[in-house]
Amino acid sequence: MQQRTVFFVSDSTGITAESLGHLLAHFPEVKFRQFRYPFIDSIQKIEGVLQRIAQAREEDGVRPVIMMTLVDPDYRALVKQADALCLDMFGAIIDPLSAELNMQPSLGVGISHGVLGHSYHERMDAINFSLGHDDGQTNHGLDEAQVILIGVSRCGKTPTSLYLAMQFGIKAANYPLIPEDFERMTLPSILDKYPEKLYGLTIQPERLHSVRSERRPDSFYASLANCKEEVRLAESLMERAHVPWIDSTSRSIEELSTTILQKIKVKQYA
Amino acid sequence: MQQRTVFFVSDSTGITAESLGHLLAHFPEVKFRQFRYPFIDSIQKIEGVLQRIAQAREEDGVRPVIMMTLVDPDYRALVKQADALCLDMFGAIIDPLSAELNMQPSLGVGISHGVLGHSYHERMDAINFSLGHDDGQTNHGLDEAQVILIGVSRCGKTPTSLYLAMQFGIKAANYPLIPEDFERMTLPSILDKYPEKLYGLTIQPERLHSVRSERRPDSFYASLANCKEEVRLAESLMERAHVPWIDSTSRSIEELSTTILQKIKVKQYA
């Protein structure tokens, strides 16, 4: 198997550069060793990284890959001299943008912290909201929720709610569907007020059995028979209540969140 | 103020394309209207987006900007025909990588879901760990923590712990510093076992006063005098205990997390 070393070099957190590293998955036959070098904002640090790159070049016998988001043109020029494939994100995006807008970029380091325009405080508020409205722990303030996720215990509601809050600044509550709901075969009545905010998650019973068994091995709660029954009843309840739902089993939190967000966006802006 | 419309077009979640949108902040004098088009994976959807782009072109009187991560070469070619500045991330990264590796990219859509090689389940485990070890709620399992954040109440420990878990798959616990600790002027004794895992957060008293006042207005807890005193004592306690710390006041969660991660990495891999 071919091996390559990849360096993410940034004068800020490197999270933008690193997110591009996801694209490496399009070369599944290559084993990528990945190193992050955030806050590279002095000539000494640039030189340190260049040494590390030269060392990897020697060790691997092939050129390393560099993904860099450096603002300073001098530093960019220095890194480009390395014997490596240098993917300059600033060059690939800022330079053409600068030409298109007919405007010089501001060269402040690390000036880009918002997520799609959501301010830091909006995101903090959303995270606190989602934590406070996890697992149906309070009905107080549900009016403020932008989405309410429902589903059986341990189907992925909590991480999805938190991701919606952290990545998109969305106030996401979540509410478990429990045996009492299945006996009545109606949603918890508090949710009746918010039909347009509801989104369901479901999961394959085998996967649910495995997740629950980690927490409570050999319990009725975790048994495959009970997981099958709960999932069947939850899906039929959501169907009956006209709540859209999605299977979390083989989807990443990013996919789940984006899918849900599309639905909310439609409601908000259509 | 100049206005431009930006389209993030992806056949997957669009989160990679969107993270590049952070770079738009280097043009602070331009107002960017941003639209996300995830899951664009059929010719019908491509055509829908192209219509929307043409419409923005007309409304704005200037060319829109497109940031796209589309795998399918035919779809990419179609989008590039739009009257817009088209920044093709797949082209800017995958094509040069393909040449460098002398290998065709796998064209599966949405195959890149890991975060720096952390699997979905590692991230889920880390999120559950961080939620379960928020605010010192249990000492059980602290051995497993990779980092333990400490600091006064409401200084940013919870969102930072969750971000470390979600973005990097790091098991991050957090522990509040409370008046009892300041009376003794020693850290909670449970933490003595983990000196190498500790990282402190601090905050400017004025900001802390404002954050706490939202939750408990006019309380002693939220008063500026008490905030000043708690912050002073917490910093002096961390100093005395040789715990490195960072001020959260004007830093994003991304910056805080990356800084902390650098310290952990040193401990783990040096």
Side-chain angles (χ1 to χ4, degrees):
Chain A
M1 193 178 221
Q2 193 180 150
Q3 178 177 302
R4 289 282 176 145
T5 305
V6 181
F7 292 88
F8 298 101
V9 182
S10 169
D11 46 31
S12 179
T13 64
I15 288 173
T16 300
E18 213 174 274
S19 75
L20 293 165
H22 293 182
L23 296 174
L24 298 172
H26 286 284
F27 299 95
E29 307 98 82
V30 183
K31 181 166 164 31
F32 293 103
R33 274 204 304 166
Q34 304 184 37
F35 293 98
R36 310 172 61 242
Y37 285 90
F39 305 124
I40 300 302
D41 51 8
S42 72
I43 189 77
Q44 287 77 14
K45 290 183 183 173
I46 291 280
E47 281 165 359
V49 174
L50 286 172
Q51 274 182 10
R52 210 40 217 86
I53 292 170
Q55 192 187 330
R57 169 73 184 82
E58 189 129 324
E59 286 165 8
D60 296 352
V62 287
R63 303 203 307 170
V65 176
I66 306 169
M67 296 196 176
M68 72 171 173
T69 48
L70 291 175
V71 171
D72 187 298
D74 295 340
Y75 295 169
R76 286 158 69 192
L78 273 174
V79 175
K80 281 182 187 165
Q81 286 172 18
D83 185 18
L85 172 67
C86 186
L87 301 170
D88 174 7
M89 292 307 107
F90 207 88
I93 292 175
I94 300 284
D95 291 348
L97 265 176
S98 175
E100 173 74 22
L101 300 168
N102 194 20
M103 193 179 277
Q104 288 304 308
S106 146
L107 294 182
V109 165
I111 60 174
S112 56
H113 289 132
V115 171
L116 262 192
H118 297 296
S119 77
Y120 184 73
H121 297 302
E122 274 180 332
R123 288 165 75 196
M124 288 302 97
D125 276 358
I127 292 168
N128 286 327
F129 182 91
S130 294
L131 285 171
H133 293 81
D134 183 40
D135 206 32
Q137 60 187 278
T138 176
N139 298 333
H140 181 74
L142 270 188
D143 284 342
E144 270 186 72
Q146 292 169 278
V147 63
I148 304 171
L149 299 181
I150 59 174
V152 299
S153 158
R154 311 297 296 164
C155 70
K157 300 183 299 297
T158 298
T160 308
S161 307
L162 287 171
Y163 191 82
L164 281 166
M166 203 165 276
Q167 180 74 16
F168 301 110
I170 294 283
K171 289 185 178 170
N174 73 75
Y175 230 91
L177 294 180
I178 57 176
E180 285 80 340
D181 302 314
F182 304 138
E183 275 166 31
R184 291 191 319 270
M185 272 312 261
T186 60
L187 295 178
S189 59
I190 180 73
L191 301 180
D192 291 347
K193 280 196 284 181
Y194 312 108
E196 79 294 347
K197 295 182 180 181
L198 299 180
Y199 209 101
L201 290 185
T202 191
I203 185 171
Q204 282 172 12
E206 292 71 19
R207 174 85 199 120
L208 185 61
H209 164 59
S210 140
V211 171
R212 287 183 172 183
S213 294
E214 275 173 38
R215 185 167 278 206
R216 294 203 220 151
D218 305 319
S219 62
F220 172 73
Y221 164 80
S223 69
L224 183 56
N226 181 54
C227 288
K228 280 186 177 168
E229 185 66 0
E230 281 197 30
V231 167
R232 187 183 68 77
L233 289 167
E235 290 180 0
S236 126
L237 176 49
M238 293 189 287
E239 197 83 52
R240 188 186 288 200
H242 304 292
V243 175
W245 43 275
I246 183 172
D247 186 335
S248 72
T249 312
S250 58
R251 289 186 170 87
S252 67
I253 310 181
E254 287 83 349
E255 281 179 286
L256 296 171
S257 304
T258 306
T259 305
I260 291 161
L261 194 64
Q262 277 195 300
K263 189 223 169 191
I264 304 173
K265 280 231 162 144
V266 170
K267 294 286 177 193
Q268 281 184 321
Y269 305 113
Chain B
M1 193 178 221
Q2 193 180 150
Q3 177 176 303
R4 290 280 176 148
T5 306
V6 181
F7 292 89
F8 299 101
V9 182
S10 169
D11 46 30
S12 179
T13 64
I15 288 173
T16 300
E18 212 174 275
S19 74
L20 293 165
H22 293 182
L23 296 175
L24 297 173
H26 286 284
F27 299 96
E29 306 98 82
V30 183
K31 182 166 163 35
F32 293 103
R33 273 203 305 167
Q34 305 183 38
F35 293 98
R36 310 174 61 243
Y37 286 89
F39 305 123
I40 300 302
D41 51 7
S42 71
I43 190 77
Q44 287 77 13
K45 290 182 183 173
I46 291 279
E47 282 166 358
V49 174
L50 286 173
Q51 273 182 11
R52 207 43 213 86
I53 292 170
Q55 192 188 328
R57 169 73 184 83
E58 190 129 326
E59 286 165 8
D60 296 352
V62 286
R63 303 205 303 170
V65 176
I66 305 170
M67 296 197 177
M68 71 170 174
T69 48
L70 291 175
V71 171
D72 187 297
D74 295 340
Y75 294 169
R76 286 158 68 191
L78 273 174
V79 175
K80 280 180 188 168
Q81 287 172 16
D83 185 18
L85 171 67
C86 186
L87 300 169
D88 174 7
M89 293 307 108
F90 208 88
I93 293 175
I94 299 286
D95 291 349
L97 265 176
S98 175
E100 173 74 22
L101 300 168
N102 194 19
M103 193 179 276
Q104 287 304 309
S106 146
L107 294 182
V109 165
I111 59 175
S112 56
H113 289 133
V115 171
L116 262 192
H118 298 294
S119 77
Y120 184 72
H121 297 303
E122 272 180 331
R123 288 166 74 196
M124 289 302 97
D125 276 359
I127 293 169
N128 286 327
F129 182 91
S130 294
L131 286 171
H133 293 81
D134 184 41
D135 206 32
Q137 61 187 276
T138 177
N139 298 333
H140 181 74
L142 269 188
D143 284 343
E144 271 186 71
Q146 292 168 279
V147 63
I148 304 171
L149 299 181
I150 59 174
V152 300
S153 158
R154 311 298 293 165
C155 70
K157 300 183 298 297
T158 298
T160 308
S161 307
L162 287 171
Y163 191 83
L164 281 166
M166 202 164 277
Q167 180 74 15
F168 301 110
I170 294 284
K171 289 184 179 170
N174 73 75
Y175 229 91
L177 295 179
I178 58 175
E180 285 80 339
D181 302 314
F182 303 138
E183 276 166 31
R184 290 191 322 269
M185 272 312 261
T186 59
L187 295 179
S189 59
I190 180 74
L191 302 180
D192 290 347
K193 279 197 284 180
Y194 312 107
E196 79 292 347
K197 295 182 182 182
L198 299 180
Y199 209 102
L201 290 185
T202 190
I203 185 170
Q204 282 172 11
E206 292 71 19
R207 174 86 200 120
L208 184 62
H209 164 59
S210 140
V211 171
R212 287 183 172 183
S213 294
E214 274 173 39
R215 184 167 281 205
R216 293 203 222 151
D218 305 319
S219 62
F220 173 72
Y221 164 80
S223 68
L224 183 56
N226 181 54
C227 289
K228 279 186 177 169
E229 185 65 0
E230 281 197 31
V231 167
R232 187 183 68 78
L233 290 167
E235 290 181 0
S236 127
L237 176 48
M238 294 190 286
E239 197 83 52
R240 189 186 288 201
H242 305 292
V243 175
W245 43 274
I246 185 172
D247 187 334
S248 72
T249 311
S250 57
R251 290 186 169 88
S252 67
I253 310 180
E254 286 82 349
E255 281 179 287
L256 296 171
S257 304
T258 306
T259 304
I260 292 161
L261 194 65
Q262 276 195 301
K263 190 225 169 189
I264 305 173
K265 279 229 165 146
V266 170
K267 294 285 176 192
Q268 280 184 323
Y269 304 114

